[in-house]
Amino acid sequence: MKIALGVTGCIAAYKAIEVMRGLQKAGVSVQVILTRSAAEFVTPLTFESLSAQTVITDMFQQGLNRDIHHISVAQSIQLLAVVPATADILGKFAHGIADDFLSTLYLSNPAPVLIAPAMNVEMWRHPAVRANVDILKARGHYFVDPEPGKLACGMEGEGRLASVDVIVARILEVLRGGDSLAGLKVLVTAGPTVEDIDPVRFLSNRSSGKMGYTVAQAALRRGAEVFLVSGPTSLPIPSGAQFIPVRSAAQMKDAVLKLYPEMDIVVKAAAVSDYRPVELSAQKIKKGGAAMSLSLAQTDDILHLLGKQKKRQILVGFAAETERLLDSAHKKLKEKNLDLLVANDVSKGVFGSDSSSVIMLSRSGETVNLGNQAKTAIAGRLLDLALEMKNREDRRQKTE
Ligand code: CTP
């Protein structure tokens, strides 16, 4: 197993040495690439002495193979990881600028890409950087997002490189993941549903759709055929997914029930409205007295219906709670006949965030407390568990 480890110029560059060591311990061969500014923070010699391999620092370096080197590196690796990644390299990757070895390798590389950014909090929040991160995430790249804390510049906030252990674990997870879902059909629901009241008003919720879209991207990267049934969101459609846009809970139900019999794994991350207005007014409702009331009818619980009809599918539900998280989660797992439930404490403003604090409960009684993690990491873990369950279920059905 071989990866390329790109190191770019920021104060956290020295931590890439520990990442390289952690990977080597796990039996991964690491080709290190230092950008010019990274070499100002850490010397190539440090990496060379510890890896016993030539470190690439330059597009036109003497002593390297005579072949077109960025192509031969690209063809030989199972992953391109960039630790730490500066705002500069995010911009180059997002916009296809190839003016040094690392950015040129990026364009010639068919393997998955994992990026662990580190920078000042204002830079990380800057709209230009946010837009570049969105582009790269939509391209399906893995991110190990920076952590909040004290930064080298003296400021507090998000921007500090994630811990070495987290980065090494994520790289190993991605390497193991490969195309583990090849041949499987995965249905993901995402986003809010919207229940119209009249032509200008509706009932909805704060779901951004990020969790579901992240699961869909992760499943695509692992080779699954992915069906994404989504309520309205502002997220880019993951490329390669079969995208089914819906608006109301009733439309989501119809789309999901139609696909369900063919599916192997179903992840219901959508925040479905529990109620809808009894009547949709064709005209804008006019102001009446000081108070008004709206008559609501309950929508169907889609997940409950899926649980009842379940045959071969692995069914993963979510539970958004603001209190008594575990009690409600256990209840939902059982009542909806789920294999896995991701319980989410939504009292701390997770909507729209790239991270979340979740506990996963399985039908067989296991509890995995993931704590606060990037949604990409949660999606990876969720799919690992769902696949394990799918394989177990297949074996069980074969022996029956
Ligand atoms: N769900 C669904 N259809 C609904 C409501 C919820 O499929 N009409 C699914 C969601 O997609 C999620 C799970 O059920 O996977 C739990 O949703 P949640 O909103 O946490 O709970 P509810 O079952 O709606 O219960 P409550 O709102 O009372 O907590």
Side-chain angles (χ1 to χ4, degrees), residues 100-358:
D100 64 2
F101 192 93
L102 183 57
S103 51
T104 311
L105 173 66
Y106 172 75
L107 291 186
S108 36
N109 165 52
V113 176
L114 180 144
I115 298 171
M119 63 195 74
N120 162 275
V121 58
E122 295 301 339
M123 292 172 78
W124 178 242
R125 282 187 197 147
H126 194 282
V129 174
R130 305 304 332 136
N132 289 337
V133 169
D134 285 347
I135 290 173
L136 296 170
K137 284 190 174 170
R139 225 171 260 168
H141 298 336
Y142 296 89
F143 268 76
V144 184
D145 282 342
E147 292 171 351
K150 192 143 184 74
L151 304 173
C153 55
M155 291 173 79
E156 282 277 341
E158 208 178 355
R160 208 169 61 172
L161 185 69
S163 80
V164 169
D165 290 350
V166 168
I167 296 171
V168 171
R170 193 72 193 113
I171 290 175
L172 294 175
E173 199 175 278
V174 172
L175 285 172
R176 278 198 303 265
D179 55 359
S180 56
L181 295 179
L184 296 182
K185 290 189 168 128
V186 176
L187 167 60
V188 182
T189 70
T193 60
V194 174
E195 309 299 330
D196 289 320
I197 299 170
D198 69 14
V200 295
R201 302 179 179 100
F202 56 79
L203 292 175
S204 190
N205 58 66
R206 293 177 195 268
S207 168
S208 68
K210 270 192 184 163
M211 190 66 242
Y213 278 57
T214 309
V215 172
Q217 272 164 354
L220 283 165
R221 275 193 302 261
R222 293 174 184 211
E225 190 178 347
V226 174
F227 300 80
L228 176 59
V229 176
S230 173
T233 76
S234 55
L235 301 172
I237 300 169
S239 68
Q242 302 211 28
F243 186 70
I244 302 112
V246 296
R247 187 167 170 85
S248 64
Q251 288 172 357
M252 184 169 278
K253 182 184 93 175
D254 291 346
V256 166
L257 288 182
K258 204 163 148 204
L259 291 164
Y260 190 48
E262 298 298 312
M263 295 298 124
D264 296 293
I265 296 172
V266 178
V267 182
K268 278 223 81 256
V272 187
S273 299
D274 291 326
Y275 292 91
R276 60 172 176 79
V278 171
E279 272 176 48
L280 167 61
S281 166
Q283 306 304 329
K284 183 180 167 215
I285 299 170
K286 287 287 179 196
K287 218 179 2 251
M292 84 162 284
S293 61
L294 192 63
S295 256
L296 301 178
Q298 206 165 358
T299 58
D300 289 323
D301 187 320
I302 307 168
L303 194 52
H304 196 259
L305 291 175
L306 299 184
K308 278 208 285 198
Q309 298 181 13
K310 188 163 73 163
K311 290 205 169 66
R312 45 195 279 281
Q313 298 88 349
I314 296 300
L315 200 49
V316 183
F318 278 70
E321 309 291 347
T322 54
E323 56 177 351
R324 295 199 304 279
L325 180 70
L326 278 178
D327 285 353
S328 309
H330 277 294
K331 200 159 158 251
K332 285 179 190 172
L333 179 81
K334 205 157 173 243
E335 281 177 3
K336 301 194 187 196
N337 190 20
L338 307 178
D339 298 285
L340 186 67
L341 185 122
V342 184
N344 203 343
D345 180 352
V346 291
S347 60
K348 296 173 195 136
V350 302
F351 298 108
S353 161
D354 286 331
S355 61
S356 180
S357 187
V358 302

Side-chain angles (χ1 to χ4, degrees), residues 62-81:
Q62 294 295 315
L64 294 178
N65 299 342
R66 287 287 102 212
D67 55 5
I68 304 174
H69 199 217
H70 61 273
I71 307 284
S72 62
V73 172
Q75 296 300 324
S76 68
I77 55 173
Q78 279 79 54
L79 177 80
L80 167 61

